[in-house]
Amino acid sequence: DVKVTQSSRYLVKRTGEKVFLECVQDMDHENMFWYRQDPGLGLRLIYFSYDVKMKEKGDIPEGYSVSREKKERFSLILESASTNQTSMYLCASSLGSDQPQHFGDGTRLSIL
Amino acid sequence: TQLLEQSPQFLSIQEGENLTVYCNSSSVFSSLQWYRQEPGEGPVLLVTVVTGGEVKKLKRLTFQFGDARKDSSLHITAAQPGDTGLYLCAGVPLNDYKLSFGAGTTVTVRA
């Protein structure tokens, strides 16, 4: 079974802090994704990566950056956290960009 | 606006009843995927439909892909409390390569 592991289930940070969310997958998938999930808005793509050191902006990249130094690891960075970034963050991986995605259990991030 | 519109947004039914969730778009998709997300967990793939008019069954769940490949539906027969969750449809439009998700339908099945 594909395993996508997100480093934290819950995280509380303060406005202005730099926040790192980590995600690791064990299936050698080329593609990895970061989404945020808010009630009534569904999953919105922040960034995705189709190869090591390669990244592409999703629908809502503002205020975020990503890093993919190794194939199995994809990090989401909030450069200077703001309260409107309080959300559920989901990481996913897939074999191809149009293939079914395997998700982690999410990180519920609160910015105070 | 969402590329994929799901309806209804919320559905609450009694155990044993049937329900249908809809996923509609004005775009054509090469395939559509359905996921279920339970509280505290990430979405899990239920099924992928690929051919226009295709019907797939997964125990009490029936998935249909519209003939024009612009819409899909999920029908649950004799719903059980274990069917409770957020149901998401997702697909890649023909003119794109990224998966888009609908906003989801929250289904609650009362015992």
Side-chain angles (χ1 to χ4, degrees), chain A residues 9 35 37 40-43 45 48 56-57 59 90 97-101 103-105, chain B residues 2 9 31 33 35 37 40-43 45 48 86 88 92 97-99 101-103:
Chain A
R9 292 298 298 270
Y35 295 90
Q37 184 175 30
L41 297 178
L43 272 66
L45 183 64
F48 75 99
E56 191 166 320
K57 291 180 180 179
D59 300 317
L90 287 163
S97 63
D98 59 342
Q99 296 299 304
Q101 295 185 6
F103 286 84
D105 284 337
Chain B
Q2 299 271 359
Q9 189 175 356
S31 64
Q33 302 162 15
Y35 295 78
Q37 183 178 18
E41 298 180 10
L45 179 73
T48 301
L86 175 67
L88 295 157
V92 179
Y97 56 94
K98 297 193 301 290
L99 199 64
F101 282 84

Side-chain angles (χ1 to χ4, degrees), chain B residues 39-102:
Chain B
E41 298 180 10
V44 175
L45 179 73
L46 294 173
V47 78
T48 301
V49 285
V50 178
T51 307
E54 181 178 4
V55 176
K56 274 193 175 177
K57 292 196 174 187
L58 192 68
K59 297 183 181 177
R60 293 174 294 98
L61 278 62
T62 302
F63 303 84
Q64 185 159 7
F65 200 12
D67 291 339
R69 293 186 292 149
K70 292 183 177 182
D71 55 85
S72 182
S73 64
L74 156 61
H75 183 78
I76 302 179
T77 304
Q80 298 177 2
D83 296 323
T84 292
L86 175 67
Y87 289 82
L88 295 157
C89 66
V92 179
L94 286 184
N95 61 350
D96 200 352
Y97 56 94
K98 297 193 301 290
L99 199 64
S100 288
F101 282 84

Side-chain angles (χ1 to χ4, degrees), chain A residues 50-62:
Chain A
Y50 47 91
D51 201 352
V52 175
K53 296 192 189 295
M54 306 301 286
K55 61 186 179 185
E56 191 166 320
K57 291 180 180 179
D59 300 317
I60 52 164
E62 297 78 19

Side-chain angles (χ1 to χ4, degrees), chain A residues 17-112:
Chain A
E17 279 191 72
K18 191 169 186 175
V19 181
F20 293 86
L21 302 183
E22 306 286 347
C23 175
V24 177
Q25 52 100 359
D26 66 358
M27 279 303 290
D28 204 35
H29 282 168
E30 301 292 336
N31 297 273
M32 295 188 76
F33 308 82
W34 274 107
Y35 295 90
R36 63 178 284 176
Q37 184 175 30
D38 300 287
L41 297 178
L43 272 66
R44 291 182 292 166
L45 183 64
I46 304 171
Y47 267 98
F48 75 99
S49 168
Y50 47 91
D51 201 352
V52 175
K53 296 192 189 295
M54 306 301 286
K55 61 186 179 185
E56 191 166 320
K57 291 180 180 179
D59 300 317
I60 52 164
E62 297 78 19
Y64 303 94
S65 63
V66 290
S67 171
R68 192 157 179 213
E69 296 296 318
K70 293 185 177 182
K71 192 174 187 179
E72 67 270 17
R73 187 179 297 270
F74 192 33
S75 303
L76 178 70
I77 303 150
L78 285 65
E79 298 290 344
S80 178
S82 63
T83 54
N84 63 11
Q85 292 179 308
T86 290
S87 186
M88 168 69 86
Y89 289 87
L90 287 163
C91 174
S93 73
S94 70
L95 211 48
S97 63
D98 59 342
Q99 296 299 304
Q101 295 185 6
H102 300 265
F103 286 84
D105 284 337
T107 295
R108 188 164 291 283
L109 175 65
S110 296
I111 307 296
L112 305 178

